[in-house]
Amino acid sequence: MAGRLMSRCLISPLRTAMHSSGVLPAVTTVTVPSRCKVTHDTGILSVVQRRGVRKLTLNHEKKRNALSYSMLENLGRALMPTDEDPDFDDVSCVVIAAKGKVFSSGHDLNEMREPISSPTPKELFDMCSFVMRAIHDFPVPVIAQVGGLATAAGCQLAASCDIVIAGESARFATPGVNIGLFCTTPSVPLLRCVPDKKGMYMLFTGEPITAEEALVHGLVSKVVPDDELGDATINLTDHLCSLSRDVLVHGKMALREIAHERTLETSYTKASHYMAKNVKMNSCQEGIDAFLTKRKPNWNNN
């Protein structure tokens, strides 16, 4: 119970801010029997939860899975806990994937072409930033499964995830500069992943990099053959779901707090605090006892 309360508290500030402004209404999900618990399909985004894995699939091939305001709004809904989403606390990891050959082409440029009515550019980029922060603040690991081109805000979406599994034909780019719209918001997670010089090159030239280049420079976690991408993601999610959810939540909270500390002393002070707190958790004691007695741990994730 404590772990569930903690996981909801992690992103409650974002939820409060967006719901109080009326920008993000609550998501409607449909609870169905069997092992597939949550099913929600808006026509451009499908949400399926199965055995602790919540999979969000961008499903707007005609628009190259553009991150329109509507797409962003739906992503935001799927990443926030609500009273209409009772299965949120059963999520051990999230996968963001896409249908078709393009992971995401970025923002829908038609929404930024004059005359602009609604949403305004400020509303659009605020919604985009909200979604990226929701990924960052989501209590368990969020995985991007990239099987094609990820450009501009699409690259931003992948870079914002905790883990990125890419097919060997995947490409990543921030080409906004070429059409007069510098990729400023995509630069935020990009420059937290790759060295400055590589990031600056991508941002100022717009040239795409391969999956292997992205792996070398830290934008991607693992590259696999295209026809093995789905299985590689399943293997990863199976592993994460075999672990203690409480520890995954605790670990992500700790990493968020210490990852960008400037001083070694502060980093170790905070890391020691989290480690000491972790030792006292039931999951840790169960894991230690299971290891020493040579048995499989019972994480009691339910």
Side-chain angles (χ1 to χ4, degrees):
M1 180 61 71
R4 294 188 176 192
L5 290 173
M6 178 170 63
S7 68
R8 285 181 178 260
C9 288
L10 289 176
I11 54 180
S12 60
L14 276 175
R15 176 181 58 180
T16 300
M18 298 305 286
H19 280 242
S20 63
S21 67
V23 174
L24 189 64
V27 65
T28 300
T29 58
V30 180
T31 302
V32 295
S34 81
R35 295 178 179 177
C36 189
K37 290 186 177 181
V38 175
T39 300
H40 180 64
D41 194 332
T42 66
I44 59 174
L45 179 75
S46 67
V47 182
V48 176
Q49 185 165 323
R50 179 182 173 85
R51 297 177 181 174
V53 181
R54 177 166 293 192
K55 187 172 184 180
L56 318 181
T57 304
L58 310 185
N59 188 24
H60 202 185
E61 286 186 85
K62 290 183 179 179
K63 284 283 190 175
R64 293 163 62 89
N65 295 317
L67 296 183
S68 62
Y69 188 89
S70 179
M71 179 71 84
L72 290 166
E73 190 175 40
N74 280 283
L75 281 168
R77 290 171 176 173
L79 292 166
M80 299 302 294
T82 68
D83 293 338
E84 291 78 21
D85 187 4
D87 295 301
F88 181 88
D89 290 318
D90 295 328
V91 180
S92 289
C93 58
V94 172
V95 174
I96 299 178
K99 186 177 179 181
K101 297 181 179 180
V102 177
F103 176 73
S104 176
S105 59
H107 290 296
D108 184 347
L109 296 179
N110 288 307
E111 294 184 334
M112 290 180 272
R113 190 177 187 183
E114 297 285 358
I116 298 173
S117 54
S118 180
T120 66
K122 180 68 162 56
E123 289 171 337
L124 176 62
F125 294 121
D126 279 351
M127 177 58 75
C128 184
S129 296
F130 166 74
V131 170
M132 304 307 161
R133 288 169 58 203
I135 292 170
H136 178 270
D137 290 342
F138 201 84
V140 294
V142 180
I143 303 156
Q145 178 185 307
V146 183
L149 185 64
T151 65
C155 182
Q156 178 184 3
L157 180 62
S160 296
C161 293
D162 302 303
I163 299 170
V164 180
I165 307 296
E168 57 191 359
S169 67
R171 298 291 184 273
F172 301 83
T174 49
V177 67
N178 294 320
I179 63 166
L181 182 62
F182 196 81
C183 286
T184 310
T185 47
S187 75
V188 176
L190 178 65
L191 294 177
R192 288 171 179 259
C193 294
V194 305
D196 284 352
K197 293 296 187 290
K198 188 62 181 181
M200 296 294 184
Y201 187 86
M202 291 178 65
L203 290 161
F204 282 114
T205 67
E207 292 182 9
I209 63 172
T210 65
E212 287 294 341
E213 286 180 281
L215 177 66
V216 169
H217 292 292
L219 181 56
V220 162
S221 310
K222 185 176 183 178
V223 176
V224 298
D226 291 336
D227 59 359
E228 296 177 16
L229 180 58
D231 288 341
T233 305
I234 291 172
N235 289 339
L236 174 59
T237 58
D238 283 350
H239 175 67
L240 292 174
C241 289
S242 73
L243 305 174
S244 164
R245 184 182 187 276
D246 286 350
V247 172
L248 292 175
V249 171
H250 182 85
K252 185 166 177 180
M253 181 189 294
L255 291 175
R256 280 206 310 269
E257 187 167 341
I258 67 176
H260 301 293
E261 285 291 344
R262 291 185 177 276
T263 69
L264 192 65
E265 180 181 3
T266 303
S267 294
Y268 270 117
T269 297
K270 291 185 176 182
S272 295
H273 164 77
Y274 276 101
M275 286 290 286
K277 189 175 180 180
N278 194 169
V279 169
K280 296 180 179 180
M281 292 171 61
N282 291 337
S283 292
C284 179
Q285 292 303 311
E286 166 64 15
I288 290 173
D289 186 72
F291 179 79
L292 294 177
T293 58
K294 296 179 173 58
R295 63 176 176 83
K296 186 176 180 179
N298 178 13
W299 297 125
N300 193 28
N301 280 338
N302 297 324

